[in-house]
Structures are given as C-alpha cells and as structure tokens.
Amino acid sequence: MELFMSLAVGILFAVGVYLILSKSLLRIVLGTSLLTHGVHLLLLTMSRLKAGSAPLLGEGAERYTDPLPQALILTSIVISFGVTSLFFVLAYQTYKKLGTDDMEQLRGQEHE
Amino acid sequence: MNNLVVLPLLFPLCTAIILFFFKEKIRLQRAIAAAGMGATLLACGLLLTQVLRSGTQTLNMGGWMPPYGIVFVADPFAALLAAAATLVSSFCLLYAFGTVGKERERFYFYPFFHLLLAGVNGSFLTGDLFNLFVCFEVMLISSYALIVLGGTKIQLRETIKYVLVNIISSTLFVAAVAYLYGVAGTLNMADLSVKVAAAGQGGILNVIAVFFLVVFSLKAGLFLFFWLPGSYSAPPMAVAALFGALLTKVGLYALVRTFTLIFPNDPAITHAWIGWMAGATMVLGAAGAMAYRRVLSVLNYNIVISIGFIAFGLAVSNRSSLEGVVFYLLHDMAAKALLFLLAGLILQARGTDQAARLGGLIRSQPWIGWMFFTAALAIAGIPPLSGFGGKLLLVKGGLQGDSFVLTAISLASSLIVLYTLIRLFMDVFFGEPKEEPAAAAAAPMRGHVVLAGALCAIVVLMGFGSEWIYQAASAAAGTLSDPSKYIEAVLKEPV
C-alpha cells in the first residue's frame, strides 16, 4: 500500500511541477494546488498506513493508529484552501488589470 | 508554565479580530491598532525581562506535556527577537497612519498588519515544527494581502511572483516536516533535537536537513533571493519597511533555530552549505546594490547583503559568532526599518525615488538627510553606532573558526554597503535639485520626521548601550550554542 501511495505522490508532484512550469497563470494555480495534494498524501504515508484500529485513547491500548498526521493534514488543507482561493482571485484580478495571463509578459523590473 | 509566553501572539490576533468590525471608522481603527500594539509591546517587554532574569519560559498548550501537544518556548533568543520585532513594527504602524491612504485603511490594512505581527511573534515563540509552519502561513497570508492591497498594476504583477514562490516553499516545508516525522516520529523541536542527536545525523537526516535549508533559504532570501528585490519595491513604504525589517529575519530565525537546535551534529555538510550560500548572497547582493540608482532597489539589495552576513555567522556557529548573529539581527531590524522610513519620507518630499532625478534635498530637509547618514554609518558598522558590535563579534567568530574567505567577503561587503549608501546620500541630498518636485509631492508631516528621529535615537542608543545588548545577546547565544539548556527547559518534569 505504501508503494502505491508513494507512486501517487510522485505522480501528483510531477504533474504539479509540470503545470507550474507552464506559462499560463491558471495552470500555475492548478499546479500549486496539485502539489499541495501530493504533500498531504506524503504526510499520510510517512506515518505508515495502518487500518483497523482506533487512534490512541488510553495507555493500555495494544494497537493504535497515529492520529497526529491527520491533524496536520487537516490544518494544512485549510491553509492551502485559503491560499489557493486567494491565488485564484489574484490571478483573475491580474488578468483583468494587466490584460494577460502569460507569465512571459509579467516579467520585468521597470515601474511604469 | 507561564501564560505570558503566548501573549505576544494573542494580543495582535485579538486586536486584528476586533479591527475587522470597524471597517468604516478609520479613526477608531487607528486608536485600536495603536492600543493593541502598545499592549503587545508591553507583553513582549515583560516577557523579555522575565526571561533574562529567570531563564527560559515555556507554556504547554492545553496541559499536554511535551513532547505531546504544542509547546511555546521563550528562550532569550526568541524573546529578544519578539521584543525587537514588536518595537520595530510599532514604528511602522505609526508611520502607516496618514501615509498608506484612506482606501487601504478602509480595506483592512490594520487587521492584516496585526495578523502579520501575530504570525511573526508566533514563529519566534513556538517550540513545535508544524506550529512554526502554521505561524509562517499566518504571517505570509497577511503579507500577501498587505503587498497587494491597493491593486495597482505593479503590485499585482509582483504579488503573483511573491505568492507563487512562497506557496512552493511552504509546500516543500510540509514535505520536509513529513519526512522528518517519518524518521523521528516527533515534531517537538526539543524532542527532535534529542532524537536526531541519538540517531546520529547521517544519511537521510542530512538530506532532510538540506531540505529544511532550502525551504528556509527561500523564505529568508539566503542565496535564493531572486524574488526579493521586486516584491519589496511594490507595496507602500510603511509595508516595505515592515517587510524589510521583519519578514526575512523570521526566515533567518528559523534557519538559526533548526541548525543550532535540531541539526547541529554534522556541520561539515550542512554548515558548509550555509557558508557558501552566505558568501554567494553577499557577493550577489553587493553586485545588485552597486548596479542600481533607485533608492528602493539599493535598499532591497542591502537587505540581501545583511542576510548573507547573518548567515555567515550561522555557518561558523561558534560562541562569539552566534552572539554576533543575535546582536546583528537586533541591530538590522531597527536600522533597516529606519532606512525604509527615511526612503518613504524622501519619496513623500519629492514624489520619486530615482536618485538621478533627486538632489539638494539637504536644504529643505536637513533632518532627514543627517538621519539617513547616521543610518548608513550604522549599517556599515562604524563605531559607536549599533552595527559595530554585531559586526565585530561576527568577524571575531569567523577568524576563530578559521573561515578566512568568508570573513574577507563579509568585510568587503561592509565596504560596499558603505559605498552604496553614501553614494545614495550624496546623490539624493547634495548637489543641485535636478528637477522640480512631482505634483504629488508635499513636505513630509513633522510627526513622521519625529518618528524617524525616535527610531534613529534607538539605533544610536543601541550603539552606545552595546554593553547591555551584548549581555542579552550573550545569554541568547548561550542557549543557542548549548541545545541541552533549551531541551531541559522544555522537557523537564513539571514542578
């Protein structure tokens, strides 16, 4: 199972990086969101995948699932949700104001 | 257990929440923002005196004993930086009154300002690696808002890049945390320090260490600073001053924290990397500072140089260079904020910051001119101003640690800092005015000049009071160079 998860993480990262490297702003935003999905799966996988037992509640438990990664992922999902929506609005505003979504045309240092 | 530890985070957070309710009442917003800032400053000051008097203070959130749960730790280093950051941002806040414009004030400028401060103080005080990520995000998301607020073309263009770079580095941060959790099974920094030292820091742990190095270098602008000069020249001056003084310093703090506490065991790899990155940062920053004639660009590249300078102290990591790191961080926060405030006043007085179009400003604004001169000398490290003590300690540490090349580069970079700032001083303040002031220009308000004067006084006093600051910096470096003190304070059994 860990192997499949690792492959999924790898694919998400590859696709995310590919999209971020493209010129269109919309693809870049989608790329960052795929990248964060990959990282969340990575967090889940790194704590070993175990099924069939509850998170630790008492000290006498023999088998337990580590609850911490899920708390971390939840936090991270909330943050990435907020950031992605901000990024979308930003991209839209940029498109409206500057009339382009091509990163090549957003280069430069000059200040009007 | 000491509830005071969380107040520097809690006060700005609550202030921000209260401020959201008073969108249209600008005067009330200013009053609340100033009051919240005062309370935060008071909390930081109390915390600092307590930490310096009776050692590291901790707070276990929700009563969970470490290594479980989230712990807040105020060791001397964190408390000093939190106090300095709050002090500097209170000056930026006062400068923002009346300079950022009514529109920005109506659209939640002050709430974001306080949220940023909450994130900064939280990053300094947290003792949990994932919580550090969360505080970083609080800080970054508010900085996205502050940098784009106003929505001019240039702001939008630069914000897109800034946001993208930071999203990628945050993603890598989470990945690094995931790997570290997979290897060590904990995220409490003190516990990590114990576990990493016990496991012997080789192989996979070194890879993770370099991962963290890349992440924090992107945030701090250490070598990976390509995003910095553009982004920091987009927002209004009060925000640029805040960013220049605080944001990169938080990245540097994270670097210092991780590489003195968690990964100090294999300096031949990690610290050598930091050393070369610091050297390259200083050289490239110096090249950039010499290449530009715009006030803001020169200042931005001066930020880059000082990042390299501080990282050089971390690369050497002996006692006196760590003292230098702390001292120089404190000085640099105040002095960079002062320079940016003065640049803002120049911009107000003339409507442009192209050095080629300025000149002769000393006649109408002698105070601004001589304060700029003082700040330039302080940043270059001329005694008895505030930069000297830190530079002396860093150079001494570098020579003791036998890294002669880096020491030479850092001294040469100081010369270039002096050259670029004095050249700017000559261009802007002396000679004949090259053209009439722009239509938007107006003499800066006296209050703002007095404000810059107060900050300038702090910079000068930090120089004359070096002895006192040295004692505090020395206490901070004591905890940094001996992780067992930090670990003991966090993991001790409650009494």
Side-chain angles (χ1 to χ4, degrees), chain B residues 46-68:
Chain B
L46 275 177
L47 182 63
L48 180 60
T49 47
Q50 235 179 61
V51 167
L52 287 181
R53 202 180 316 119
S54 46
T56 305
Q57 306 288 320
T58 61
L59 173 65
N60 304 322
M61 297 288 179
W64 289 87
M65 287 297 123
Y68 309 106

mmCIF file of all heavy atoms in Angstrom, chain B residues 46-68:
data_model
loop_
_atom_site.group_PDB
_atom_site.id
_atom_site.type_symbol
_atom_site.label_atom_id
_atom_site.label_comp_id
_atom_site.label_asym_id
_atom_site.label_seq_id
_atom_site.Cartn_x
_atom_site.Cartn_y
_atom_site.Cartn_z
ATOM 1 N N LEU B 46 7.704 42.645 29.171
ATOM 2 C CA LEU B 46 7.616 41.865 30.410
ATOM 3 C C LEU B 46 8.241 40.488 30.227
ATOM 4 O O LEU B 46 9.020 40.017 31.064
ATOM 5 C CB LEU B 46 6.146 41.694 30.807
ATOM 6 C CG LEU B 46 5.525 42.817 31.619
ATOM 7 C CD1 LEU B 46 4.059 42.513 31.860
ATOM 8 C CD2 LEU B 46 6.267 42.938 32.943
ATOM 9 N N LEU B 47 7.888 39.853 29.095
ATOM 10 C CA LEU B 47 8.404 38.515 28.819
ATOM 11 C C LEU B 47 9.929 38.544 28.758
ATOM 12 O O LEU B 47 10.615 37.692 29.338
ATOM 13 C CB LEU B 47 7.830 38.003 27.496
ATOM 14 C CG LEU B 47 8.244 36.600 27.083
ATOM 15 C CD1 LEU B 47 7.748 35.597 28.092
ATOM 16 C CD2 LEU B 47 7.701 36.267 25.710
ATOM 17 N N LEU B 48 10.453 39.570 28.067
ATOM 18 C CA LEU B 48 11.905 39.661 27.901
ATOM 19 C C LEU B 48 12.604 39.814 29.255
ATOM 20 O O LEU B 48 13.573 39.105 29.546
ATOM 21 C CB LEU B 48 12.250 40.836 26.985
ATOM 22 C CG LEU B 48 13.738 41.038 26.725
ATOM 23 C CD1 LEU B 48 14.331 39.814 26.061
ATOM 24 C CD2 LEU B 48 13.970 42.257 25.853
ATOM 25 N N THR B 49 12.073 40.719 30.102
ATOM 26 C CA THR B 49 12.744 40.901 31.391
ATOM 27 C C THR B 49 12.664 39.624 32.214
ATOM 28 O O THR B 49 13.635 39.244 32.877
ATOM 29 C CB THR B 49 12.109 42.052 32.195
ATOM 30 O OG1 THR B 49 10.701 41.888 32.174
ATOM 31 C CG2 THR B 49 12.463 43.406 31.630
ATOM 32 N N GLN B 50 11.505 38.942 32.139
ATOM 33 C CA GLN B 50 11.386 37.705 32.910
ATOM 34 C C GLN B 50 12.364 36.638 32.425
ATOM 35 O O GLN B 50 13.002 35.954 33.213
ATOM 36 C CB GLN B 50 9.956 37.181 32.783
ATOM 37 C CG GLN B 50 9.305 36.965 34.118
ATOM 38 C CD GLN B 50 7.904 36.465 33.945
ATOM 39 O OE1 GLN B 50 7.685 35.399 33.382
ATOM 40 N NE2 GLN B 50 6.949 37.234 34.402
ATOM 41 N N VAL B 51 12.469 36.530 31.078
ATOM 42 C CA VAL B 51 13.350 35.506 30.514
ATOM 43 C C VAL B 51 14.803 35.805 30.864
ATOM 44 O O VAL B 51 15.574 34.918 31.230
ATOM 45 C CB VAL B 51 13.160 35.422 28.988
ATOM 46 C CG1 VAL B 51 14.261 34.621 28.352
ATOM 47 C CG2 VAL B 51 11.823 34.811 28.665
ATOM 48 N N LEU B 52 15.173 37.090 30.775
ATOM 49 C CA LEU B 52 16.565 37.435 31.064
ATOM 50 C C LEU B 52 16.875 37.243 32.543
ATOM 51 O O LEU B 52 17.993 36.917 32.924
ATOM 52 C CB LEU B 52 16.855 38.880 30.655
ATOM 53 C CG LEU B 52 16.945 39.124 29.145
ATOM 54 C CD1 LEU B 52 17.266 40.571 28.865
ATOM 55 C CD2 LEU B 52 17.963 38.216 28.491
ATOM 56 N N ARG B 53 15.847 37.451 33.411
ATOM 57 C CA ARG B 53 16.106 37.318 34.833
ATOM 58 C C ARG B 53 16.101 35.865 35.263
ATOM 59 O O ARG B 53 16.988 35.408 35.959
ATOM 60 C CB ARG B 53 15.088 38.128 35.649
ATOM 61 C CG ARG B 53 15.636 38.449 37.035
ATOM 62 C CD ARG B 53 14.683 39.246 37.916
ATOM 63 N NE ARG B 53 14.032 40.334 37.225
ATOM 64 C CZ ARG B 53 12.704 40.419 37.072
ATOM 65 N NH1 ARG B 53 11.924 39.483 37.542
ATOM 66 N NH2 ARG B 53 12.172 41.450 36.460
ATOM 67 N N SER B 54 15.064 35.104 34.820
ATOM 68 C CA SER B 54 14.946 33.766 35.404
ATOM 69 C C SER B 54 14.947 32.643 34.368
ATOM 70 O O SER B 54 14.393 31.591 34.607
ATOM 71 C CB SER B 54 13.685 33.693 36.264
ATOM 72 O OG SER B 54 12.592 34.254 35.576
ATOM 73 N N GLY B 55 15.545 32.873 33.203
ATOM 74 C CA GLY B 55 15.736 31.763 32.275
ATOM 75 C C GLY B 55 14.532 31.479 31.398
ATOM 76 O O GLY B 55 13.491 32.121 31.495
ATOM 77 N N THR B 56 14.684 30.488 30.534
ATOM 78 C CA THR B 56 13.698 30.145 29.524
ATOM 79 C C THR B 56 12.335 29.828 30.119
ATOM 80 O O THR B 56 12.237 29.078 31.092
ATOM 81 C CB THR B 56 14.198 28.932 28.736
ATOM 82 O OG1 THR B 56 15.485 29.246 28.221
ATOM 83 C CG2 THR B 56 13.264 28.586 27.599
ATOM 84 N N GLN B 57 11.285 30.417 29.533
ATOM 85 C CA GLN B 57 9.916 30.179 29.981
ATOM 86 C C GLN B 57 9.189 29.313 28.947
ATOM 87 O O GLN B 57 9.405 29.473 27.753
ATOM 88 C CB GLN B 57 9.164 31.508 30.113
ATOM 89 C CG GLN B 57 9.840 32.528 30.993
ATOM 90 C CD GLN B 57 9.753 32.161 32.458
ATOM 91 O OE1 GLN B 57 8.736 31.686 32.924
ATOM 92 N NE2 GLN B 57 10.850 32.366 33.177
ATOM 93 N N THR B 58 8.337 28.415 29.432
ATOM 94 C CA THR B 58 7.584 27.594 28.485
ATOM 95 C C THR B 58 6.108 27.610 28.839
ATOM 96 O O THR B 58 5.731 27.915 29.971
ATOM 97 C CB THR B 58 8.047 26.122 28.502
ATOM 98 O OG1 THR B 58 7.820 25.598 29.803
ATOM 99 C CG2 THR B 58 9.499 26.005 28.141
ATOM 100 N N LEU B 59 5.288 27.261 27.843
ATOM 101 C CA LEU B 59 3.851 27.124 28.075
ATOM 102 C C LEU B 59 3.361 25.910 27.290
ATOM 103 O O LEU B 59 3.542 25.832 26.082
ATOM 104 C CB LEU B 59 3.115 28.377 27.599
ATOM 105 C CG LEU B 59 1.601 28.282 27.642
ATOM 106 C CD1 LEU B 59 1.102 28.148 29.068
ATOM 107 C CD2 LEU B 59 0.972 29.495 26.994
ATOM 108 N N ASN B 60 2.787 24.941 28.012
ATOM 109 C CA ASN B 60 2.262 23.748 27.334
ATOM 110 C C ASN B 60 0.797 23.970 27.041
ATOM 111 O O ASN B 60 -0.026 24.018 27.942
ATOM 112 C CB ASN B 60 2.432 22.514 28.215
ATOM 113 C CG ASN B 60 3.869 22.320 28.620
ATOM 114 O OD1 ASN B 60 4.779 22.565 27.830
ATOM 115 N ND2 ASN B 60 4.086 21.921 29.851
ATOM 116 N N MET B 61 0.468 24.070 25.751
ATOM 117 C CA MET B 61 -0.910 24.370 25.372
ATOM 118 C C MET B 61 -1.839 23.241 25.788
ATOM 119 O O MET B 61 -1.536 22.065 25.551
ATOM 120 C CB MET B 61 -1.014 24.538 23.856
ATOM 121 C CG MET B 61 -0.215 25.677 23.340
ATOM 122 S SD MET B 61 -0.967 27.221 23.790
ATOM 123 C CE MET B 61 0.199 28.356 23.095
ATOM 124 N N GLY B 62 -2.959 23.600 26.383
ATOM 125 C CA GLY B 62 -3.983 22.620 26.730
ATOM 126 C C GLY B 62 -3.526 21.616 27.767
ATOM 127 O O GLY B 62 -4.158 20.584 27.955
ATOM 128 N N GLY B 63 -2.422 21.878 28.446
ATOM 129 C CA GLY B 63 -1.977 20.985 29.505
ATOM 130 C C GLY B 63 -1.345 19.690 29.018
ATOM 131 O O GLY B 63 -1.084 18.793 29.807
ATOM 132 N N TRP B 64 -1.099 19.570 27.700
ATOM 133 C CA TRP B 64 -0.410 18.377 27.198
ATOM 134 C C TRP B 64 1.081 18.528 27.474
ATOM 135 O O TRP B 64 1.690 19.499 27.064
ATOM 136 C CB TRP B 64 -0.637 18.214 25.705
ATOM 137 C CG TRP B 64 -2.019 17.803 25.354
ATOM 138 C CD1 TRP B 64 -3.080 18.615 25.150
ATOM 139 C CD2 TRP B 64 -2.489 16.478 25.166
ATOM 140 N NE1 TRP B 64 -4.193 17.885 24.852
ATOM 141 C CE2 TRP B 64 -3.857 16.569 24.849
ATOM 142 C CE3 TRP B 64 -1.895 15.220 25.247
ATOM 143 C CZ2 TRP B 64 -4.635 15.449 24.607
ATOM 144 C CZ3 TRP B 64 -2.670 14.104 24.987
ATOM 145 C CH2 TRP B 64 -4.031 14.223 24.680
ATOM 146 N N MET B 65 1.644 17.526 28.156
ATOM 147 C CA MET B 65 3.059 17.619 28.463
ATOM 148 C C MET B 65 3.887 17.345 27.202
ATOM 149 O O MET B 65 3.558 16.467 26.418
ATOM 150 C CB MET B 65 3.429 16.584 29.532
ATOM 151 C CG MET B 65 2.932 16.939 30.910
ATOM 152 S SD MET B 65 3.698 18.472 31.444
ATOM 153 C CE MET B 65 2.252 19.460 31.755
ATOM 154 N N PRO B 66 4.977 18.084 26.991
ATOM 155 C CA PRO B 66 5.835 17.772 25.860
ATOM 156 C C PRO B 66 6.399 16.368 26.044
ATOM 157 O O PRO B 66 6.585 15.959 27.183
ATOM 158 C CB PRO B 66 6.960 18.810 25.950
ATOM 159 C CG PRO B 66 6.594 19.733 27.033
ATOM 160 C CD PRO B 66 5.464 19.180 27.789
ATOM 161 N N PRO B 67 6.677 15.631 24.987
ATOM 162 C CA PRO B 67 6.675 16.041 23.583
ATOM 163 C C PRO B 67 5.309 16.001 22.917
ATOM 164 O O PRO B 67 5.236 16.158 21.717
ATOM 165 C CB PRO B 67 7.597 15.015 22.931
ATOM 166 C CG PRO B 67 7.435 13.796 23.750
ATOM 167 C CD PRO B 67 7.173 14.255 25.145
ATOM 168 N N TYR B 68 4.221 15.727 23.657
ATOM 169 C CA TYR B 68 2.905 15.751 23.028
ATOM 170 C C TYR B 68 2.341 17.161 23.102
ATOM 171 O O TYR B 68 2.693 17.927 23.984
ATOM 172 C CB TYR B 68 1.972 14.757 23.714
ATOM 173 C CG TYR B 68 2.591 13.395 23.819
ATOM 174 C CD1 TYR B 68 3.063 12.923 25.026
ATOM 175 C CD2 TYR B 68 2.766 12.617 22.683
ATOM 176 C CE1 TYR B 68 3.685 11.688 25.108
ATOM 177 C CE2 TYR B 68 3.383 11.394 22.764
ATOM 178 C CZ TYR B 68 3.838 10.928 23.970
ATOM 179 O OH TYR B 68 4.461 9.723 24.035
#
